[in-house]
Structures are given as structure tokens and as C-alpha cells.
């Protein structure tokens, strides 16, 4: 009640001053009152009713028409007041949701966390940045008892929270694969069954899985509809597409995946990406794969992690720091 | 970002002309418009994408969903008028192997 009484006092004073002589300063006190009413949650119709009663008190000779018009105005402002209160409560709800999503994003981050392994003779750089709070891209490194390194990179078709939830499932399906089943084609065949069985029919996953054998430096890989990566051949200085055919995960239960092999020479690089990388839009259109290759060439003398960091920074700048899609880039380099 | 979807339903043959961009914002409209149609038995559905200027993976999801739905109702599903870029998207994802994207509609859909 005290708030209302204070306000009444303040309003009376400000209005009297202004009615006496119409100075800028008196008008300014009205602005201050306006801010205070918002703070104290005093509705527009309450302000009009306050205005009317104070006017009656300090200028009782005002014509009735003015008072009637204020009653009318009060009625008009009623709807506005309701809408404003609704907006306030929506804002509050939005704030709650936002903090819940933040927590979820943190949980996801912990769930999907993967360490880049230390493999003799290899240098690895990786970056993955979500467009929104939750990431629908995912990459994962595993090392088996023969020191072979498995690398999975996946992208859920669909964005945001549903995509992120789906990714967590993939991670657990991968963790539960038997140790000796890390051949890329059988990893994808297993995951395909899991996704087909468990995921909404309009949700699909593209995935690339590779296995690096540090003993003979053979990289074997298979792809489930994933954007092809690049292979850099140090001897010729050429970049080639790592073409691999295979259907998206989750479309057909009995899909078979073809496995490819590549012998990796010193200085060669394997570059893996999510389609966010080549689907980036700039003012002139899409980022072409050639542009990406140019960026890699420009940074090729750097450490693997610096290369991927620099490329991300450049692409981010091209898109005015507004990622449209999640972004993942991995670079595996065989040391000379 | 806009999309127009023009549906011509002639007996059990449905011809759909999509214009504009298919992305996370417009895909729900596409799905809502086409899904009920895909659930008719023995339907023949042809979607013309020649006026689609951009499609991301969300759009791909819609078409895979439609394809599966049409197939499970013993129908036939075709996509026509794909640009080079769209064709590449279907090639990479392996979908070109299971969805008919090559038979061009006679003279294109009007």
C-alpha cells in the first residue's frame, strides 16, 4: 500500500507543478514517474485512475467532459494493461527456459566430451562449435588395445535440442560396441540399426567413421551419407575428396557400408568436416569446397589445432559471426 | 525466407511444385502440407524442385520421411528438377540410390 501512497504523493506534486507552468523540468519528472510505475508494476489503467482522482482534487473546476473522457481512456487502456502483464509473464517463462537450456547444454557438453588421443606419429586438431546452444554435431575419438585410433564424426539432420538429444544416443551406442568391432563398416552397420530402431522417422544422421592404424599407417573408413572430407597428399601438394558412398543412418535397417582404405604417407593429412563447414552462407552465396582448401593451404605450416582454429575464425568472420549450422572440423596429420 | 507449395491432385497422382527455400523455418510447412497426401494408398507423388533456390539438411529429412511414408502405403515417390547442388546432396547422402531423382517429368510440371 505504501508504494501506491508514495506514488500518489509524487504524482500530485509533479502534476501540480506542470499545470502551474509547463517547464521541461516538470515534464521530465513525468518520465521518471513512468519508469517508477513500471518498476512497481502499476498498470496503465491504474495510472489513469490516479490521474483522474488527483485532477479532481487539485482542479475541481475542470469540466465533466474531461473527467468522462478519462473514464473512457481508462477503459481503453485496460486491454493494454492485460497484454503488458502477459508479456511480463512470458518474459519470465522465457528466462526460465533459457536457463534450463543452458543447463542442458552443459550436461551435453559433459556427456559428449572426448579427449584427443596421443598417437605416435600423428598430430590432431579438432573444433566443434554449435550454431545455437546445443550441438547437433558430434565427434569422438577411441583407442583400442592395438593402439588403433577410431574417429567418428556425425551430424544429425535437424538442429537444436532434438538433434542434440539424438547425438547423446549415438555416443552411448558407440560406447557399447564390442572392442573388437571397430572396423568402420561394421561400426556404421551397428549404429544404423540402433538409429533406425530408436529415432523418429524424419530424423537422420550422417556419419563418417575412420580407423587409423599407427603400425602400418593405413586409414580405413566408411561413410553413412556424410559430407566427404579431404585428403592432402604431401608428395604432390594436392587435395582430393575422400569419396565414400553410403546411405544415411536410420533410413534402411539392412544397409551395408563399404569400407575404403588409404595408405597415409609422412606429411599427409586427413580432413574431416560436418556439412556446416561447406554449407556456410556468405554474402556471395555458399562457401565452396575450393575456398576451404585455400584456407587450409594458407595455414598448412601451422600446428593441426591452430589450422582448425584459424579456419573457424575465418569462416565465422565471413558469416558475420552468425553460424547458421553447427560447425565441426577435424584434421589428422601424419608427422614427417 | 519464403516457400510456396502448389499441389495438384489428379486421381491418385499428386504433382507438387515447390518454390523458394527449404530450411528449418519452411520445412514444417512442407511437411504439414505433404504428409497427409503421402498416407493415401497407392499414391504416385511427384515433387518438382526446379524453383527451389536453397535446401538444407532439414529439407532432406522431410523428403526421406515422405519417401518412407509413401513406400509404406505402396505408393511411388519421385523428385524432379533437381539443381546440380541438390543432386549432389542426394548423391552424398546415398539417397539417390533409393529415391528416384532421375526420371524427369515429361516436359516438367507446369
Amino acid at each position: 500500500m505504501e508504494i501506491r501512497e508514495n506514488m500518489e504523493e509524487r504524482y500530485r506534486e509533479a502534476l501540480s507543478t506542470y499545470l502551474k507552468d509547463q517547464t521541461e523540468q516538470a515534464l521530465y519528472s513525468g518520465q521518471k514517474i513512468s519508469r517508477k510505475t513500471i518498476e512497481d508494476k502499476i498498470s496503465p489503467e491504474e495510472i489513469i485512475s490516479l490521474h483522474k482522482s488527483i485532477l479532481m482534487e487539485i482542479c475541481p473546476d475542470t469540466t465533466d467532459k474531461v473527467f468522462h473522457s478519462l473514464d473512457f481512456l481508462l477503459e481503453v487502456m485496460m486491454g493494454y494493461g492485460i497484454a503488458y502483464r502477459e508479456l511480463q509473464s512470458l518474459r519470465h517463462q522465457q528466462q526460465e527456459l533459457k536457463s534450463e537450456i543452458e543447463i542442458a547444454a552443459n550436461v551435453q557438453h559433459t556427456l559428449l566430451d572426448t579427449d584427443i588421443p596421443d598417437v605416435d606419429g600423428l598430430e590432431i586438431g579438432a573444433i566443434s562449435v554449435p550454431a545455437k546452444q546445443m550441438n547437433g554435431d558430434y565427434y569422438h575419438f577411441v583407442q583400442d588395445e592395438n593402439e588403433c585410433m577410431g574417429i567418428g564424426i556425425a551430424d544429425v539432420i535437424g538442429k537444436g535440442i532434438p538433434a542434440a538429444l539424438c547425438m547423446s544416443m549415438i555416443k552411448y551406442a558407440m560406447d557399447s560396441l564390442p572392442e573388437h568391432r571397430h572396423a568402420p563398416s561394421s561400426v556404421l552397420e551397428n549404429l544404423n540399426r540402433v538409429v533406425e530402431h530408436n529415432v523418429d522417422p524424419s530424423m537422420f544422421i550422417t556419419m563418417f567413421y575412420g580407423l587409423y592404424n599407427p603400425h602400418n599407417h593405413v586409414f580405413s573408413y566408411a561413410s553413412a551419407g556424410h559430407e566427404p572430407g579431404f585428403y592432402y597428399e604431401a608428395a604432390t601438394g594436392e587435395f582430393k575428396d575422400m569419396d565414400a558412398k553410403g546411405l544415411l543412418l536410420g533410413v534402411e535397417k539392412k544397409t551395408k557400408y563399404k569400407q575404403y582404405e588409404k595408405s597415409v604417407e609422412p606429411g599427409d593429412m586427413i580432413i574431416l568436416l560436418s556439412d556446416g563447414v561447406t554449407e556456410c552462407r556468405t554474402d556471395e552465396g555458399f562457401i565452396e569446397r575450393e575456398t576451404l582448401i585455400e584456407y587450409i593451404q594458407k595455414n598448412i605450416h601451422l600446428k593441426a589445432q591452430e589450422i582448425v582454429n584459424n579456419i573457424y575464425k575465418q569462416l565465422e568472420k565471413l558469416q558475420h559471426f552468425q553460424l547458421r549450422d553447427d560447425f565441426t572440423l577435424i584434421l589428422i596429420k601424419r608427422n614427417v | 525466407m519464403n516457400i510456396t507449395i502448389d499441389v495438384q491432385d489428379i486421381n491418385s497422382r499428386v504433382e507438387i511444385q515447390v518454390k523458394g527455400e527449404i530450411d528449418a523455418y519452411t520445412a514444417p510447412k512442407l511437411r504439414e502440407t505433404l504428409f497427409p497426401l503421402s498416407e493415401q494408398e497407392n499414391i504416385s507423388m511427384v515433387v518438382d524442385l526446379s524453383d527451389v533456390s536453397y535446401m538444407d539438411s532439414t529439407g532432406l529429412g522431410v523428403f526421406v520421411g515422405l519417401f518412407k511414408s509413401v513406400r509404406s502405403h505402396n505408393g511411388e515417390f519421385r523428385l524432379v528438377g533437381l539443381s546440380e547442388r541438390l543432386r549432389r546432396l542426394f548423391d552424398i547422402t546415398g539417397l539417390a540410390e533409393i529415391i528416384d531423382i532421375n526420371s524427369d517429368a515429361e516436359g516438367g510440371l507446369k
Side-chain angles (χ1 to χ4, degrees):
Chain A
M1 220 45 227
E2 206 179 312
I3 292 173
R4 297 285 190 279
E5 274 161 26
N6 281 345
M7 179 52 71
E8 197 181 321
E9 192 55 44
R10 219 172 141 178
Y11 201 97
R12 183 182 296 114
E13 208 180 299
L15 187 62
S16 317
T17 315
Y18 185 71
L19 289 179
K20 206 167 338 134
D21 44 3
Q22 289 80 49
T23 62
E24 277 293 318
Q25 207 188 350
L27 208 53
Y28 178 60
S29 67
Q31 278 182 30
K32 284 204 282 197
I33 285 175
S34 165
R35 279 197 287 274
K36 183 78 179 135
T37 54
I38 291 173
E39 228 173 79
D40 294 342
K41 300 193 171 69
I42 298 174
S43 68
E45 64 270 25
E46 274 180 279
I47 299 173
I48 295 166
S49 132
L50 181 67
H51 183 91
K52 186 188 158 194
S53 62
I54 290 173
L55 191 66
M56 276 174 129
E57 189 188 313
I58 58 179
C59 308
D61 50 343
T62 309
T63 68
D64 278 353
K65 280 203 171 129
V66 172
F67 291 125
H68 293 327
S69 84
L70 286 173
D71 284 334
F72 186 81
L73 180 61
L74 188 144
E75 211 54 39
V76 172
M77 290 311 279
M78 207 99 86
Y80 183 83
I82 291 167
Y84 181 72
R85 282 189 291 276
E86 269 171 14
L87 179 73
Q88 289 296 88
S89 105
L90 277 178
R91 264 198 203 139
H92 183 69
Q93 283 174 22
Q94 192 190 31
Q95 204 57 43
E96 274 179 6
L97 277 178
K98 211 177 144 196
S99 59
E100 262 181 51
I101 293 172
E102 253 162 49
I103 297 168
N106 282 337
V107 171
Q108 189 204 19
H109 197 75
T110 318
L111 282 177
L112 299 187
D113 203 23
T114 181
D115 287 327
I116 297 177
D118 224 349
V119 183
D120 265 353
L122 285 187
E123 203 193 293
I124 301 166
I127 188 168
S128 185
V129 185
K132 294 194 182 136
Q133 275 166 314
M134 310 268 285
N135 201 338
D137 278 1
Y138 167 64
Y139 70 89
H140 186 68
F141 290 98
V142 273
Q143 231 173 340
D144 65 14
E145 68 269 33
N146 305 319
E147 287 154 353
C148 288
M149 179 192 73
I151 161 76
I153 173 167
D155 181 3
V156 182
I157 291 190
K159 294 182 175 88
I161 298 171
L165 289 175
C166 190
M167 251 329 138
S168 308
M169 186 191 73
I170 283 287
K171 143 109 187 177
Y172 280 94
M174 263 176 73
D175 282 350
S176 56
L177 290 179
E179 279 284 324
H180 58 281
R181 297 292 296 278
H182 279 172
S185 56
S186 67
V187 168
L188 293 184
E189 278 155 26
N190 273 309
L191 290 179
N192 179 54
R193 277 194 292 276
V194 173
V195 176
E196 211 274 338
H197 194 72
N198 292 297
V199 179
D200 180 87
S202 64
M203 196 125 111
F204 309 94
I205 297 170
T206 77
M207 182 159 182
F208 177 97
Y209 194 86
L211 191 68
Y212 193 96
N213 183 338
H215 304 295
N216 60 7
H217 294 286
V218 168
F219 184 63
S220 44
Y221 58 96
S223 169
H226 198 78
E227 172 82 25
F230 300 108
Y231 189 87
Y232 172 73
E233 223 172 58
T236 57
E238 270 178 58
F239 284 87
K240 287 180 183 146
D241 283 356
M242 290 223 302
D243 281 323
K245 287 235 170 236
L247 186 62
L248 298 170
L249 297 181
V251 180
E252 302 266 24
K253 198 178 266 170
K254 287 179 183 147
T255 309
K256 288 278 169 208
Y257 292 93
K258 191 176 169 198
Q259 190 165 308
Y260 301 77
E261 275 185 5
K262 181 92 196 152
S263 175
V264 182
E265 302 301 324
D268 285 4
M269 290 193 299
I270 297 158
I271 296 129
L272 306 176
L273 37 91
S274 70
D275 68 354
V277 178
T278 50
E279 247 187 62
C280 293
R281 277 210 263 198
T282 65
D283 294 340
E284 294 100 59
F286 301 88
I287 296 267
E288 296 299 332
R289 288 168 70 85
E290 291 73 41
T291 319
L292 192 62
I293 289 176
E294 266 171 45
Y295 285 163
I296 299 172
Q297 264 165 337
K298 232 187 278 173
N299 291 286
I300 211 158
H301 56 284
L302 298 172
K303 292 250 171 229
Q305 188 61 48
E306 288 169 18
I307 300 178
V308 295
N309 289 350
N310 280 357
I311 291 172
Y312 169 66
K313 274 186 216 143
Q314 274 158 330
L315 291 179
E316 200 192 23
K317 209 189 288 175
L318 270 183
Q319 295 186 86
H320 308 290
F321 304 97
Q322 277 280 312
L323 282 189
R324 276 181 70 109
D325 197 0
D326 306 329
F327 171 97
T328 301
L329 186 65
I330 294 170
L331 197 141
I332 301 165
K333 190 176 184 180
R334 181 177 170 193
N335 285 330
V336 184
Chain B
M1 262 168 283
N2 255 315
I3 190 169
T4 55
I5 305 162
D6 185 29
V7 179
Q8 294 224 345
D9 200 340
I10 314 150
N11 298 323
S12 65
R13 181 180 163 91
V14 189
E15 294 180 353
I16 298 125
Q17 181 100 35
V18 187
K19 280 183 191 156
E21 298 191 351
I22 309 175
D23 60 16
Y25 302 98
T26 59
K29 186 178 172 191
L30 189 67
R31 184 175 300 147
E32 280 156 29
T33 315
L34 300 190
F35 246 90
L37 298 168
S38 75
E39 287 170 337
Q40 296 172 32
E41 281 301 316
N42 303 317
I43 197 161
S44 161
M45 186 183 273
V46 186
V47 186
D48 187 344
L49 301 177
S50 17
D51 291 317
V52 171
S53 53
Y54 172 79
M55 179 167 109
D56 70 2
S57 47
T58 331
L60 212 55
V62 174
F63 289 120
V64 179
L66 278 174
F67 163 74
K68 287 182 89 167
S69 172
V70 168
R71 192 177 59 177
S72 70
H73 293 91
N74 305 309
E76 196 193 331
F77 183 77
R78 285 194 291 142
L79 294 172
V80 296
L82 283 78
S83 67
E84 209 37 57
R85 194 177 280 280
L86 281 184
R87 199 170 280 276
R88 182 174 175 272
L89 201 55
F90 279 87
D91 272 334
I92 288 174
T93 51
L95 291 172
E97 308 274 325
I98 57 167
I99 299 179
D100 183 351
I101 62 166
N102 287 312
S103 63
D104 265 307
E106 305 82 68
L109 298 176
K110 294 276 144 54

